[in-house]
Amino acid sequence: MDRISQICSRLERCGVFADVGCDHGYCTQYMLKNNLCDRAIISDISEKSLNKARTLLKDYCEDGRVNAVCCDGLTGVEGADLVLIAGMGGEEIIKILNQSGIPPKFVFQPMSNLPKVREYLINSGCAIEEDNIFADGKYYFIIKGRKSGGSEKYNSAQLAFGRDSLKNPVLKEYLSEEAEKIRGYLSGSMLEENRRLLENRLQFITGVYEGET
């Protein structure tokens, strides 16, 4: 499955769906075409990007099932019971959640700082239903969950790569490639401090790969 299909496969029936940073609006189109939501909110900080989604979802906008909002994160989004944020950096997602609160249900596909996102959600009491990896030309991590009901604690490997990823063979492919990159860096010259950091990273990745961490 491609990236959009992978994301959509994690979306479930809801009353009001919100796609934050919606880009072209394909995930919202999927929700509406499959009658998985009663109505949807598409938002983006860029009016130009939002217009791409407006074009795709023109008929739904005209019949009132889609509301397009140009805003920063969730600041202009109200009443959504399922929120998708995909393709943003992890720190940006955390900033959005700090500004506006964690939605009742969510699917996040951060592009960076995954451990910080996982730690934030766990410390906030969220129930993480899926925390996985998939590949589509490159590797992506995806987190699905609920605002409340969580009590699970993560170990270091789960925080780094996701609880369900550890049982997914795609993670071994990812770790193998990451290890090779680090070995390549280590073959060159660098500050001793940087070398130690990379060696520690390689040791950790190797331990996760072999199931020892």
Side-chain angles (χ1 to χ4, degrees):
M1 275 193 282
D2 63 23
R3 174 176 169 264
I4 296 298
S5 298
Q6 287 277 2
I7 293 169
C8 289
S9 71
R10 271 78 178 188
L11 301 175
E12 59 185 51
R13 184 71 174 82
C14 64
V16 181
F17 171 69
D19 188 354
V20 176
C22 59
D23 196 38
H24 288 86
Y26 294 129
C27 293
T28 300
Q29 182 187 50
Y30 166 85
M31 291 292 286
L32 292 161
K33 283 182 71 173
N34 290 281
N35 293 312
L36 291 174
C37 65
D38 300 323
R39 61 185 184 89
I41 303 165
I42 52 173
S43 75
D44 204 290
I45 197 169
S46 162
E47 189 74 43
K48 182 178 179 181
S49 293
L50 190 60
N51 282 336
K52 290 187 290 185
R54 280 195 182 105
T55 300
L56 180 72
L57 302 167
K58 180 175 179 289
D59 291 343
Y60 295 110
C61 290
E62 289 177 353
D63 70 13
R65 290 189 69 194
V66 170
N67 182 27
V69 183
C70 186
C71 65
D72 183 7
L74 284 161
T75 55
V77 176
E78 296 181 0
D81 47 324
L82 172 60
V83 171
L84 169 66
I85 307 179
M88 290 189 195
E91 290 190 344
E92 180 66 19
I93 291 175
I94 292 170
K95 186 190 89 170
I96 288 170
L97 299 179
N98 275 329
Q99 281 178 336
S100 304
I102 299 170
K105 295 182 180 180
F106 55 80
V107 174
F108 300 146
Q109 188 263 294
M111 300 298 287
S112 61
N113 295 303
L114 269 296
K116 289 184 178 180
V117 176
R118 294 184 182 106
E119 188 171 30
Y120 179 87
L121 295 174
I122 290 167
N123 290 342
S124 299
C126 297
I128 296 178
E129 298 170 352
E130 184 181 1
D131 188 355
N132 220 329
I133 186 173
F134 65 89
D136 177 25
K138 59 187 205 176
Y139 298 98
Y140 300 93
F141 292 89
I142 191 161
I143 303 170
K144 174 182 177 178
R146 292 176 282 111
K147 178 180 180 178
S148 59
S151 59
E152 184 177 9
K153 301 301 180 185
Y154 271 29
N155 61 32
S156 58
Q158 290 170 329
L159 268 180
F161 302 113
R163 181 194 62 215
D164 303 304
S165 301
L166 299 177
K167 299 169 281 189
N168 188 336
V170 173
L171 183 68
K172 286 213 164 189
E173 299 171 13
Y174 170 79
L175 293 175
S176 179
E177 291 186 18
E178 288 297 298
E180 280 306 305
K181 286 179 190 175
I182 293 173
R183 291 187 185 101
Y185 298 146
L186 288 171
S187 67
S189 59
M190 64 183 71
L191 294 173
E192 196 57 38
E193 181 182 355
N194 293 339
R195 182 173 296 278
R196 282 197 303 273
L197 289 172
L198 283 175
E199 287 172 344
N200 289 339
R201 176 69 174 169
L202 180 59
Q203 184 179 19
F204 178 68
I205 286 174
T206 303
V208 174
Y209 184 92
E210 294 174 354
E212 297 171 356
T213 303

